[in-house]
Each structure stands twice: as structure tokens, then as C-alpha cells.
Amino acid sequence: MEKISIIVPCYKEEAALPYFWEESSKVTNDMKVKYPELSFEYIFVDDGSTDGTLKVLKELAAASPEVKYVSFSRNFGKEAAIYAGLEKSTGDYVAMMDADLQDPPSLLPKMYECVKSGEYDCAATRRVDRKGEPPIRSFFARQFYKIMRKISKADIVDGARDFRLMTRQMVDAILSMSEYNRFSKGIFGWVGFKTKWLEFENRERISGETKWSFWKLLFYSIDGIVAFSTAPLAIASVMGLIFCLMAFIGIIVTIIRALVSPASSAFGWPSMICVILLVGGILMFCIGILGQYLAKTYLEVKRRPIYIVKEENEIKE
Ligand code: UDP
Ligand code: MG
């Protein structure tokens, strides 16, 4: 017997969940027929929703013995929900999927085929387009992936979704990274293992609306960079060096000029103000970068729990 755990983070998804359940349970039921050795376990993580999400989940759990729900005491974010799901999962394989059907469950059989053969440890998905997304968001997303690939060791793929199926071995590796500042896309890449990439066309969410505003995404991307690269710190040092060099050249030029024509040495007050402002700005910028890392370190050393569970049910084997 083999079991697949499906983790579904849900935040205010009361409208989308019935559609999700209908479509994904159809796929998993078909899979059980096709592969008699398979069984499933759904782990819905209610990330502190303020709508009727938990009620819908309880109804699903009452109707199906495959459903486990975990409900957080407040909204801890999708990353925390994924971590909780991974911790609670008991399957030989673990899949994760969004509740809004933007990750097509119909890809599951193909993903299972990929990892079952043992050739791959993970079947991940990426969307080949960003249809239906604001162009400015797509632009920034592309730039983010470009920069991230240059400055970090984690192999982050453009358009990669969190929708993936992994072996237990890989899940345990991910769980061993118990950091507080979780950036899944980086963590998945960082742990390594052999990944098969499947592609699909972007789908719009079935119902409800996205929880990611432009600003939330921007800050999330900064979190990602801070979590997986120290390049910004190096940039700060390099900028400092460049400015020292410039100042040094400036000093020499000023001395020579004062010696050659003493009258011109008082010249250039406006340009000096500009330089002071520029240097001051760059200093503040670099202190800001330092602050980002310090803040993350501060949160990390506090060792706060990644999530707090308010209630959950147990699946009877
Ligand atoms: N989600 C979550 N906690 C949050 C925000 C989102 O668990 O604080 C879940 C949400 O319910 C969904 C998935 O994460 O299943 C992706 O969210 P969403 O569809 O809003 O993001 P998008 O697909 O627009 O990037
Ligand atoms: Mg979505």
C-alpha cells in the first residue's frame, strides 16, 4: 500500500472549497481505481480564516474519512500552512495544492507516475504564461526570478508553483529546515533532489479573490532574497569601496587644483551638497540592508513557533 497526502492551505476559501473538493476528489477516486495500491489523505490547513472555511472543512471531514483539517489560531500565512501540512502528513508521497483550483488536480496522475518509478524525487509544476495577471505584476515577477537566480544557491524556477508531489525523503529534508522565515520556493530548490518539471497554462481562480496584493508580493520577494542570499550585504561593501575610491581621487584632484590655481579652491558648494546627499543616501540604504538581515536574525533567534493550532481532527486509520 502507498499513501499520498494532499496538503491544501486555505485562507478564506469557503466559496472555492466545494469546487476544489468536487474536482480533486474525482481525480483521486479515479487514481484509486487505476492504482489499487493507492490511498489518499487530504490535509486542509485553515490559516485563521474569518469566513466559513472551517465550517466547510468540518462538513468535508464528516463526509469523508480521508479528510483531516487543521485550524490555526490566527492567520500565519501560506508558508506556515504548508509547513503545518508537511508536519501532519503521513503519506509516502506528499502533494500540495492551492484551494482555488489554479493548480489543476488533473495533473496528479502524471506527477505520481514521475515519482513512482523512482526516477524523480519530486514532480513540480510551472505555468508557462501569466495570463489574466496584471502586466506590471508579471514584469516585477520576472525581474525577481532573474535576480534571485543570479544571487542565490537555491535553484528557483520562473513561474514555478507550489503545486508539487514529493517523496517522503524530500519532505523530511524540507521539514529539517525549521527556519522561521520560510520561503518555500527557495527551500524546495535548496534541498536539491531530482525534480521533474511539468508545465501547464495559467488558470484563473475559481472563486473568491487573491490574497496577494502587489505590496504583499513585493515584501515577500524581499523576504525571499534575504532568506536565500547574502549578496545585498556584499553590494553594500562594494558600494562603500567605490565611494572611498571616488573620494580619494577627489582629494587628490582638489589638492592639485589648489596648488595650481589657489583662487579656484573654494568653488563648488552646490556640487558638494549633492555629493553629501548622495553619500548620505547610500549610507542609509546600506544600513537598511543590514537592518533587513538583522531583523530576520532577530525573528529567527526568538524561536517562535511557526504556527499555532486551535483545533484539528484525527483521521481514523
Ligand atoms: N493562503 C493561505 N494563507 C494566506 C494566504 C493564502 O493559506 O495568508 C492560501 C490560499 O487559500 C490559497 C493559496 O494560499 O489556497 C494561494 O493563495 P492565492 O490564490 O490568494 O494566491 P495567488 O494564487 O493569487 O498567488
Ligand atoms: Mg490562487
Side-chain angles (χ1 to χ4, degrees):
M1 281 307 274
E2 280 186 324
K3 180 154 82 177
I4 299 184
S5 305
I6 300 179
I7 298 170
V8 191
C10 311
Y11 179 52
K12 298 193 194 164
E13 299 286 9
E14 104 181 288
L17 273 172
Y19 298 103
F20 172 83
W21 179 247
E22 193 186 331
E23 195 169 327
S24 68
S25 63
K26 202 153 70 202
V27 172
T28 51
N29 284 336
D30 287 350
M31 280 176 82
K32 275 188 280 190
V33 175
K34 191 164 169 215
Y35 311 97
E37 76 278 11
L38 261 190
S39 64
F40 285 89
E41 153 191 83
Y42 280 86
I43 302 172
F44 290 95
V45 184
D46 166 32
D47 185 10
S49 308
T50 45
D51 65 353
T53 301
L54 184 58
K55 194 170 145 266
V56 178
L57 292 182
K58 281 181 175 163
E59 281 163 20
L60 290 182
S64 165
E66 288 175 349
V67 172
K68 174 176 174 67
Y69 64 82
V70 180
S71 181
F72 287 175
S73 59
R74 66 166 170 88
N75 180 244
F76 281 86
K78 185 184 176 186
E79 298 290 350
I82 290 178
Y83 188 74
L86 289 175
E87 275 196 328
K88 307 279 176 188
S89 69
T90 57
D92 306 283
Y93 300 100
V94 177
M96 50 185 87
M97 246 190 252
D98 282 1
D100 56 6
L101 282 179
Q102 279 189 302
D103 301 330
S106 54
L107 273 178
L108 265 184
K110 213 162 139 196
M111 294 163 94
Y112 176 59
E113 289 282 340
C114 288
V115 292
K116 188 177 70 138
S117 60
E119 196 187 338
Y120 293 98
D121 304 290
C122 169
T125 58
R126 58 183 290 259
R127 32 181 197 173
V128 284
D129 58 6
R130 290 175 169 273
K131 211 169 53 215
E133 197 183 62
I136 178 125
R137 179 177 290 197
S138 305
F139 172 78
F140 276 104
R142 291 229 166 77
Q143 297 312 312
F144 167 72
Y145 285 112
K146 235 193 230 161
I147 295 172
M148 201 62 185
R149 260 205 308 280
K150 282 216 179 83
I151 63 174
S152 91
K153 274 203 193 70
D155 178 26
I156 294 175
V157 177
D158 188 2
R161 304 270 317 166
D162 287 338
F163 180 29
R164 50 173 61 223
L165 182 78
M166 299 173 283
T167 58
R168 175 51 45 189
Q169 191 189 17
M170 186 167 173
V171 170
D172 288 341
I174 291 169
L175 284 173
S176 74
M177 296 176 77
S178 55
E179 55 210 71
Y180 181 78
N181 297 289
R182 301 192 73 76
F183 183 71
S184 282
K185 286 187 168 71
I187 292 175
F188 295 151
W190 194 90
V191 294
F193 293 101
K194 225 169 147 211
T195 303
K196 166 87 178 162
W197 287 96
L198 305 172
E199 298 185 338
F200 69 93
E201 272 172 27
N202 195 25
R203 287 194 181 186
E204 305 223 8
R205 63 160 40 242
I206 186 100
S207 156
E209 57 193 58
T210 176
K211 280 87 197 174
W212 295 91
S213 67
F214 178 79
W215 291 108
K216 222 171 146 189
L217 276 176
L218 186 73
F219 287 122
Y220 182 59
S221 65
I222 294 175
D223 283 351
I225 291 174
V226 174
F228 278 92
S229 168
T230 48
L233 290 171
I235 293 172
S237 316
V238 170
M239 268 201 290
L241 272 180
I242 291 175
F243 271 78
C244 282
L245 199 68
M246 273 162 48
F248 194 66
I249 294 170
I251 291 169
I252 293 176
V253 169
T254 316
I255 292 173
I256 293 176
R257 202 173 53 178
L259 289 177
V260 174
S261 66
S264 67
S265 58
F267 173 75
W269 190 82
S271 59
M272 198 171 80
I273 293 298
C274 294
V275 170
I276 288 176
L277 282 180
L278 178 71
V279 172
I282 289 186
L283 269 178
M284 294 294 259
F285 178 69
C286 293
I287 293 175
I289 293 179
L290 269 178
Q292 283 290 329
Y293 284 89
L294 183 65
K296 295 296 173 204
T297 315
Y298 177 57
L299 288 173
E300 209 65 66
V301 294
K302 279 201 217 180
R303 295 234 132 258
R304 284 185 179 163
I306 294 170
Y307 61 88
I308 293 169
V309 174
K310 182 158 171 259
E311 64 177 291
E312 63 185 313
N313 70 336
E314 295 305 329
I315 294 189
K316 287 166 218 69
E317 294 287 332

